[in-house]
Amino acid sequence: MPEATFSDEWLVQSLEGLVDAERLAELRGKADPAKTLWETLVAAKTCTDEQILGKLAARFRMKVADATQIDPKVREVVPETLARRYRILPLRMTDSYLEVATANPFDMHAEKDLAFATAREVRLLLLAPSQINLRLDELYRPDRAINKLLSGMESSADLVQLTEAPAEEIKITEEEASQRPVVRLVDLIISEGILSRASDIHIEPEEGGVAVRYRIDGVLRQVMKIPRGAGLPLISRIKIMSQLDIADRLRPQDGRARVAVNGQPIDLRVSTLPAQLGEKIVIRILDSRATAKSLDSLGLNPGEGDAIKRLLENHEGILLVTGPTGSGKTTTLYSAINQIKGEGVNIVTVEDPVEYRWTSAWSRTRSRPPCAGSWPSA
């Protein structure tokens, strides 16, 4: 049986010191016709992408592409069919040239067709075939990239979005969810954040993708990095849940959503902020169960607890509660209200926004507090 011939036979001369003739003959004997020599070597763990790239870069004096630095505008110039036909990854462009990553710098047909289609000079950089395939999905098919991200990831909780009335639920069947990967991804991020007892979920575009961080015990921890191409649909989905304007990406917006995790209603406060690489979103998780506590259950030492109770007995004055995000300011204030509320006490709170929807005996006003010094004298 004759040995297989790879489409990238030119690579053999650059593999000196990485692969010997005997190993190469062995790989040829059981080669997959659909795979290149490069892919075969990596799949057989004979050498790594980095080793091959290092050899090629040194021999041909070419730069290795940074696949995290992709200008989304290249999609408008380089058709997906052309990119996949020649297995090249467009990176960035100007009015005069186009930078593309390739695993085959000797493919003259690709270079000529790209130059003709884009009316630009083509500049080639090196990149591994596996990275090209991955980044092509992220660039042209973000849904497919999200499906790859979700494969092997399962949420340990069921999450449904609730309307203003908790009895009316928006239910998504398993079949519908499988057709909507962005919805599944958002549900996974939120439900896992709630189960992790995170106080905030931060979603922020950055170089190379979209970072997802949970704030747990006051410390931000990155838990996931999403492909850059999936960032816009992900953020749009969260804005739709929060009844925000998905078309307005230049102004900060505030909204809220109500979801149920394993049947337990949870309020979410959502804030968006325009940033250099796209909109940043912060989701504040508001679990009303966590705030319905007495002062004695907050873990204060006896002296501190007694001092706060004495302050709450005063009929006038001001009590300041300060601290960083997630330190328990809101929990402390609601516990103080629980301490003094009663049928004979009229309580009015001024909140922006109203974080917890309690059935209570006091009035709740959504208002932005005035600046310091502007309170009317009593």
Side-chain angles (χ1 to χ4, degrees):
M1 180 177 179
E3 292 183 345
T5 301
F6 294 100
S7 60
D8 53 348
E9 285 291 330
W10 58 268
L11 187 61
V12 175
Q13 298 179 4
S14 302
L15 297 176
E16 185 178 353
L18 290 179
V19 187
D20 56 30
E22 183 179 350
R23 177 58 174 163
L24 192 58
E26 180 184 348
L27 292 175
R28 289 182 188 279
K30 51 183 180 181
D32 183 349
K35 289 187 176 181
T36 63
L37 174 58
W38 190 325
E39 293 170 322
T40 302
L41 289 169
V42 174
K45 298 183 179 180
T46 302
C47 48
T48 65
D49 285 328
E50 290 73 19
Q51 289 175 320
I52 298 176
L53 284 171
K55 285 285 188 179
L56 295 180
R59 181 178 183 186
F60 300 112
R61 297 183 180 180
M62 294 180 65
K63 294 182 179 180
V64 177
D66 182 358
T68 64
Q69 304 287 335
I70 301 177
D71 183 357
K73 293 181 181 179
V74 295
R75 289 178 299 190
E76 303 170 5
V77 176
V78 181
E80 180 184 3
T81 53
L82 188 62
R84 292 192 183 276
R85 181 194 310 163
Y86 292 114
R87 301 187 72 177
I88 57 94
L89 176 67
L91 298 172
R92 62 192 63 86
M93 65 179 184
T94 67
D95 292 337
S96 58
Y97 70 86
L98 170 72
E99 282 190 359
V100 299
T102 180
N104 184 3
F106 291 99
D107 192 344
M108 303 305 297
H109 293 293
E111 188 173 353
K112 289 180 180 179
D113 286 356
L114 280 170
F116 179 79
T118 62
R120 289 171 172 84
E121 174 194 352
V122 177
R123 299 181 180 180
L124 299 178
L125 291 86
L126 292 171
L127 193 63
S130 59
Q131 281 295 307
I132 291 176
N133 294 334
L134 175 64
R135 300 295 177 175
L136 282 176
D137 282 344
E138 293 179 5
L139 182 62
Y140 292 102
R141 302 289 179 91
D143 282 357
R144 187 182 297 176
I146 294 176
N147 275 326
K148 289 182 180 179
L149 181 67
L150 287 171
S151 61
M153 297 174 59
E154 293 185 4
S155 175
S156 53
D158 295 325
L159 182 142
V160 294
Q161 184 180 356
L162 304 179
T163 59
E164 290 296 317
E168 299 177 8
E169 298 184 0
I170 301 176
K171 295 184 178 179
I172 301 173
T173 65
E174 183 176 351
E175 181 179 356
E176 290 172 334
S178 65
Q179 297 172 356
R180 301 168 67 184
V182 174
V183 175
R184 292 170 54 205
L185 180 59
V186 171
D187 289 352
L188 175 70
I189 291 172
I190 294 176
S191 61
E192 289 303 309
I194 293 171
L195 293 179
S196 301
R197 303 186 66 83
S199 60
D200 306 275
I201 300 173
H202 291 242
I203 301 174
E204 182 174 7
E206 57 183 28
E207 298 292 347
V210 178
V212 178
R213 301 182 180 94
Y214 294 161
R215 186 185 297 278
I216 302 174
D217 297 330
V219 179
L220 278 174
R221 298 175 172 87
Q222 182 165 319
V223 296
M224 190 184 305
K225 196 158 189 178
I226 301 166
R228 184 78 180 273
L232 182 58
L234 174 76
I235 291 173
S236 295
R237 168 61 185 168
I238 296 174
K239 292 174 74 173
I240 289 172
M241 290 177 60
S242 312
Q243 299 181 352
L244 300 178
D245 185 358
I246 63 173
D248 189 353
R249 304 189 185 100
L250 301 179
R251 293 184 303 172
Q253 298 186 64
D254 291 312
R256 65 186 307 139
R258 190 169 173 82
V259 299
V261 177
N262 292 335
Q264 175 61 42
I266 302 290
D267 284 315
L268 306 175
R269 190 177 72 192
V270 180
S271 299
T272 70
L273 181 68
Q276 182 180 7
L277 299 177
E279 283 183 290
K280 174 180 179 178
I281 282 189
V282 177
I283 303 173
R284 177 76 166 162
I285 299 172
L286 308 173
D287 186 353
S288 58
R289 297 172 304 168
T291 60
K293 296 180 178 180
S294 65
L295 282 173
D296 296 330
S297 66
L298 295 183
L300 303 172
N301 63 50
E304 292 172 339
D306 293 340
I308 293 176
K309 290 177 182 178
R310 286 195 300 270
L311 289 173
L312 294 175
E313 292 174 358
N314 294 328
H315 296 287
E316 59 184 16
I318 185 170
L319 178 63
L320 293 178
V321 180
T322 65
T325 301
S327 61
K329 300 183 296 295
T330 303
T331 301
T332 302
L333 288 172
Y334 276 110
S335 298
I337 291 175
N338 272 337
Q339 178 71 21
I340 64 175
K341 73 176 183 179
E343 292 184 2
V345 180
N346 179 32
I347 300 175
V348 177
T349 64
V350 181
E351 307 174 46
D352 182 29
V354 175
E355 291 193 356
Y356 297 100
R357 309 181 189 192
W358 285 2
T359 55
S360 58
W362 67 82
S363 302
R364 322 290 296 285
T365 302
R366 187 186 188 279
S367 174
R368 190 170 297 280
C371 298
S374 63
W375 290 99
S377 57

